[in-house]
Amino acid sequence: MTSSPGIRTEPLVLLFAVLGGAVLLFVVAPLVSMCLQCSLPELVETARDDEVQSSIWLTLWTSMTATVIFAIAAIPFAYLLARKDFPLKGLVAGIIDLPIVIPHSAAGIALLGIVSRNGLLGGAAAKMGLRFVGTSAGIMAAMAFVSVPFLVNSARDGFGAVPVRLEKAALSLGASPLRVFLTISVPLAARSIVSGFILMWARGMSEFGAVLIIAYHPMITPVLIYERFGAFGLKYARPVAVLFISVCLVFFIILRFLAAEKENAQR
Amino acid sequence: MLSVRQISKTLPSFTLRDVSFEVQPGQYFVLLGASGVGKSVLFEIIAGLTCPDAGRILLDGRDITDEKIQQRKIGLVFQNSALFPHMTVYDNIAYPLRCKKLRNYQIHERVVELAEDFAITALLKRRPQTLSGGESQRVSLARAVASEPRCLLLDEPISSLDVKSRPQMRALLRRINAQGRAVLHITHDYTEAASLGTHIGVMEGGTIAQVGTVEEVFQRPKSEFIARFVGIRNFFEGQLAKPESDQTDTRRFRTGDLVFWVLSDNPGESGYVMIRSEDITICNSASRTSARNNFEGRIVDIAPAGPGVEVIVDIGVEVATLITAESVKKLELDCGKKVWISFKASAVKFVEG
């Protein structure tokens, strides 16, 4: 740990370190305790459970698909927020943050209003044979609703940090605005975009409240954990939770690793 | 030909008013002005990065005022090179060629050719972050030239370079200009203007105060501001000889029939010398001092100049000196009087041109 030269900060730093340690312990202790209370045979048995397997797979692919689909619109939107001034921009930025601050069960109820058969979006989708309530499409909608602010905000910060000078230089070299966006702005903001992408994906995977209301079935893992806890108790819910956390961690580490490789290649 | 006509722009901090000048093909036009007079805003307006409130910009007779940046055919080089950090030097130079959708072999041929021209072949695989200031600016120039602009617009391209890299960069800029491409170079440094420019426009208070050849602007500044800003009234073109021995850097500079002693280690031979008027002393008779340059001449003009008095002495060329009013009185100086002027070899600044 380093400190500014000439300033005696050791007692203060020590105090901060103790406080930081307490926060870390608060986060780590329940997770470690849960893992320690779960035996290996229990975990193996849970991993072989078809319902658990399909639930984890469903959670992974729906959250990833929701992230990819919404990224197509969210990334250009983030660029707009970073680069252009327009009326009510502050309000727009506030609306983007809204899903973070409202209770997720309330978000699910709000979303249900438009994706149900009688809703605006649900009604239009039904005419094309697409249903949201009780389907993987509904799960994706619920996941995206609560997690898209993470991608927009992170990408917006990334675009904001790209020097405008580079974009102007690219334009003067004959590139179209779209080409400048794709070859200069996006690659230079890639670090933040990837961070936002991972955050959105992770947040989508862990979503419970909104998904519970839109699509209890097919069952994503957070809902399955809740159901097993309610029906069979802690002992049956715990191995599913440990397994799901482990799978998420593996995917999270792989994605971070791939993102870091890409950044190194661009340096 | 680039024609800037009555450009005006009002910003919160200052105003550009009726800025007009023309850059002919093959000209090297230097826009010279102190910091904050609006040079960079004018750069952005000509480049198409900012819209003017009024006025037009024409390139080869075509009105490009409302044209998109990518269609203007104006190459930009920024003070801190705007190389794309996520691309290699090769990809940076290839960027404008890829925008034109050239075939890969055509892009490769052109990049290699430009790299040889700009002496950056060894850098092609490197990333911009690993380049020195001089290397970065050479790559920026190569990239700008690759886009085949009708006019090159340079914003303080030399200011951020170290002293060693500057002569190389100047030589490169002269070479690009010699190929017939019009160059508009924006700077606050009068030595850059003297060294590179064929024509100079001096900016003062958001407008163009004087436009002319380098000699006209430096020798006959139209206003006190310009005289003070360029700081040099004594500006002579000529040839610099090699040092007479290895032990000295003192060299002869011949301008017309006159020879000045110059202290310089500049390897150049032809160029300009500049002597600040306050570095020249006047005596009524020849006197032995350490000054290497002593000339007899006749006073042709005496005029108040701000805090002092400007005395013009004809020694074969007219030399401006700046002395105090007390000295004028004490030496009983008057028009037509014969005097001696002297200045040190170290007061004579040589600029390769």
Side-chain angles (χ1 to χ4, degrees), chain B residues 17-292:
Chain B
R17 282 176 289 115
D18 288 336
V19 173
S20 298
F21 61 87
E22 289 191 346
V23 185
Q24 302 291 346
Q27 264 188 8
Y28 197 113
F29 191 98
V30 179
L31 203 57
L32 183 64
S35 298
V37 295
K39 302 191 300 293
S40 293
V41 174
L42 190 58
F43 173 93
E44 293 200 347
I45 289 172
I46 297 169
L49 309 174
T50 302
C51 286
D53 294 339
R56 313 303 302 169
I57 296 162
L58 281 77
L59 187 62
D60 295 333
R62 194 165 48 95
D63 190 336
I64 59 165
T65 318
D66 303 316
E67 211 155 73
K68 290 176 179 169
I69 307 172
Q70 59 269 34
Q71 288 162 355
R72 290 198 171 204
K73 287 193 167 290
I74 290 180
L76 305 183
V77 175
F78 295 86
Q79 180 175 3
N80 298 310
S81 67
L83 293 176
F84 307 134
H86 57 302
M87 296 182 193
T88 60
V89 168
Y90 182 99
D91 289 332
N92 265 279
I93 300 171
Y95 192 84
L97 306 171
R98 290 193 175 121
C99 292
K100 288 181 182 168
K101 296 189 167 46
L102 295 185
R103 290 175 180 277
N104 277 345
Y105 76 91
Q106 291 173 310
I107 291 172
H108 182 73
E109 278 175 11
R110 185 69 182 128
V111 172
V112 169
E113 187 187 344
L114 283 164
E116 281 171 11
D117 271 6
F118 289 80
I120 49 174
T121 305
L123 311 176
L124 284 176
K125 288 182 182 165
R126 295 202 8 213
R127 297 257 172 194
Q129 300 89 314
T130 66
L131 305 179
S132 70
E135 289 169 340
S136 293
Q137 284 301 46
R138 289 213 302 275
V139 176
S140 293
L141 267 174
R143 188 180 68 176
V145 169
S147 67
E148 292 182 3
R150 298 287 304 141
C151 177
L152 260 182
L153 202 48
L154 317 173
D155 186 11
E156 308 257 11
I158 298 176
S159 307
S160 61
L161 304 188
D162 57 72
V163 177
K164 279 185 180 172
S165 306
R166 292 182 181 194
Q168 285 176 332
M169 192 66 184
R170 284 182 185 141
L172 195 56
L173 291 172
R174 275 189 213 105
R175 198 146 54 83
I176 290 171
N177 181 230
Q179 289 164 357
R181 192 169 276 117
V183 178
L184 175 59
H185 177 139
I186 289 172
T187 183
H188 66 277
D189 184 345
Y190 66 85
T191 57
E192 265 180 40
S195 173
L196 289 164
T198 57
H199 291 72
I200 292 182
V202 183
M203 279 195 81
E204 176 191 1
T207 191
I208 297 278
Q210 185 176 359
V211 175
T213 63
V214 179
E215 288 83 356
E216 280 166 0
V217 172
F218 277 75
Q219 290 177 336
R220 292 186 291 283
K222 274 188 179 169
S223 68
E224 189 181 323
F225 166 80
I226 297 171
R228 292 207 169 279
F229 179 68
V230 297
I232 304 293
R233 294 292 311 276
N234 304 306
F235 180 86
F236 306 107
E237 189 178 5
Q239 296 291 322
L240 186 67
K242 288 193 164 48
E244 291 178 354
S245 72
D246 291 343
Q247 279 83 43
T248 179
D249 280 329
T250 315
R251 298 153 74 179
R252 289 168 187 269
F253 179 84
R254 183 172 292 280
T255 174
D257 294 334
L258 284 174
V259 173
F260 296 139
W261 287 99
V262 179
L263 187 63
S264 171
D265 57 1
N266 192 308
E269 289 178 353
S270 64
Y272 302 93
V273 289
M274 306 175 184
I275 312 151
R276 300 183 75 89
S277 48
E278 53 266 44
D279 289 338
I280 303 175
T281 55
I282 302 183
C283 304
N284 279 329
S285 58
S287 55
R288 289 182 73 83
T289 66
S290 64
R292 295 293 307 272

Side-chain angles (χ1 to χ4, degrees), chain A residues 135-228:
Chain A
T135 67
S136 46
I139 294 172
M140 286 189 276
M143 285 175 168
F145 184 84
V146 295
S147 60
V148 77
F150 294 96
L151 175 57
V152 172
N153 289 337
S154 184
R156 182 186 59 194
D157 293 345
F159 286 127
V162 175
V164 180
R165 194 163 47 96
L166 297 182
E167 293 173 349
K168 289 177 173 177
L171 284 171
S172 79
L173 293 169
S176 65
L178 179 63
R179 194 182 183 96
V180 173
F181 175 71
L182 293 175
T183 60
I184 306 296
S185 315
V186 170
L188 289 176
R191 193 183 188 132
S192 300
I193 293 172
V194 170
S195 255
F197 196 91
I198 292 171
L199 272 175
M200 181 176 171
W201 174 68
R203 183 65 198 81
M205 255 189 331
S206 61
E207 179 49 26
F208 170 70
V211 175
L212 190 73
I213 291 185
I214 305 281
Y216 194 91
H217 289 285
M219 219 177 272
I220 61 165
T221 316
V223 177
L224 180 69
I225 294 167
Y226 172 74
E227 197 204 46
R228 290 210 169 177

